[in-house]
Amino acid sequence: MLTTKEVISNYVNLGVTKAKNSTVNLLLLSVVAGFFIALAGVAANTGTAGVENPSIAKVISAAIFPVGLGMVLCVTSELFTGDCLMFLSLFSKKITIAQLIRTLVIVYIGNLIGSIIIAWAVNYSGQIGAFNGSLAAYSIKIAVAKVKLDFGKAVVLGILCNFLVCIGVLMGQSATSLPGKIMGGFVPVFAFVAAGYEHSVANMYYIPAGLFAIQNPKYLELAQKAGIDVSNLNVSGFIHNLIPVTIGNIIGGVVFVAMIYYVIFLSNQEK
């Protein structure tokens, strides 16, 4: 197992590698990461759709969703929230701000593409109609709750989320075995899901899944019978959630993880 200092130092070099990767490779690797996170969302929703007790549902979802980060850590891919740690490379003057922005923009777009593809696929395939449509109604409920979030609250929930996700990335990279990497990412992600924090890439699946679902009259009727108001569930609502959550994720990863660990472990080495 690597020490935190070793992990931080290694990530500086990893950030350089990411920044030098080709546009095509970055885009494809980020689409794959979008698949991973979205499929974790599919599994989490499926596992909790029929659970009436909200606390138990949270625990079940929190136990399932970390498989997404586990796949990201163990199979080469690019996840926007984790890649906020590339600021370690920027602070260490190993990459330029232009390289950083280019990488993060490409990864963000790729994550969005991958997530929306999965959201479309589960709707088109009929998987979201499991349990006589209750999974679809539940997916709509989740999406509606997210688009109704207040801007400021969404920012803070995004900060808390990506603090934990980036810690999970570092914990996963401190391990030298496959089980260690999976467990390293599992613990912090379990915490963020159980607490109800907001992850921009996860929301790239959760909200489009609800958007696709309401296009089906049967699923829409089930949601309305359950008292779910879908009036805000549209593209505008999606953007209304994604902007503050993304801002919060960036702050959480950059200010509360990359900056703090740079100051602790790297700043003195460069003087």
Side-chain angles (χ1 to χ4, degrees):
M1 181 174 175
L2 303 178
T3 65
T4 303
K5 184 175 182 180
E6 289 172 329
V7 173
I8 297 299
S9 296
N10 288 345
Y11 203 96
V12 172
N13 297 324
L14 180 60
V16 174
T17 301
K18 291 174 182 286
K20 291 182 177 179
N21 210 346
S22 71
T23 297
V24 172
N25 283 352
L26 275 175
L27 186 64
L28 291 175
L29 289 171
S30 57
V31 168
V32 170
F35 289 164
F36 290 159
I37 299 301
L39 287 168
V42 174
N45 272 2
T46 304
T48 56
V51 181
E52 294 184 5
N53 185 301
S55 296
I56 295 175
K58 279 287 186 183
V59 171
I60 294 172
S61 181
I64 296 172
F65 187 80
V67 301
L69 184 59
M71 290 186 283
V72 169
L73 290 171
C74 296
V75 180
T76 303
S77 59
E78 297 291 344
L79 181 65
F80 173 80
T81 45
D83 282 354
C84 287
L85 288 169
M86 285 181 66
F87 273 82
L88 286 165
S89 306
L90 179 70
F91 297 151
S92 300
K93 300 179 181 178
K94 299 293 185 180
I95 62 174
T96 65
I97 187 67
Q99 288 176 307
L100 175 70
I101 292 173
R102 166 191 170 269
T103 304
L104 291 180
V105 168
I106 293 170
V107 170
Y108 193 86
I109 292 170
N111 288 169
L112 179 62
I113 293 170
S115 299
I116 291 177
I117 287 173
I118 297 300
W120 171 83
V122 298
N123 273 273
Y124 182 79
S125 68
Q127 188 271 340
I128 203 167
F131 317 129
N132 295 318
S134 62
L135 175 57
Y138 183 73
S139 298
I140 293 169
K141 178 182 177 181
I142 295 295
V144 166
K146 290 180 178 296
V147 299
K148 286 185 175 180
L149 272 176
D150 173 78
F151 190 99
K153 290 179 180 178
V155 170
V156 175
L157 291 170
I159 291 172
L160 294 169
C161 170
N162 209 32
F163 170 76
L164 288 169
V165 170
C166 287
I167 292 298
V169 169
L170 295 178
M171 287 174 64
Q173 292 187 349
S174 72
T176 55
S177 67
L178 184 65
K181 289 181 179 296
I182 292 172
M183 284 307 300
F186 176 88
V187 175
V189 175
F190 181 98
F192 107 63
V193 177
Y197 300 149
E198 292 289 310
H199 188 273
S200 56
V201 181
N203 289 358
M204 290 174 185
Y205 165 73
Y206 284 124
I207 299 174
L211 283 169
F212 284 122
I214 62 173
Q215 304 308 309
N216 185 309
K218 176 185 174 182
Y219 301 156
L220 178 59
E221 182 181 359
L222 286 171
Q224 290 173 334
K225 284 182 178 179
I228 301 169
D229 179 8
V230 300
S231 58
N232 291 326
L233 185 52
N234 48 45
V235 174
S236 177
F238 181 29
I239 295 170
H240 172 78
N241 173 274
L242 209 54
I243 290 174
V245 171
T246 301
I247 292 170
N249 287 169
I250 293 170
I251 295 170
V254 176
V255 177
F256 293 99
V257 182
M259 188 176 294
I260 288 175
Y261 281 103
Y262 170 78
V263 171
I264 294 170
F265 293 112
L266 299 176
S267 59
N268 290 334
Q269 296 178 7
E270 298 172 7
K271 293 180 180 179

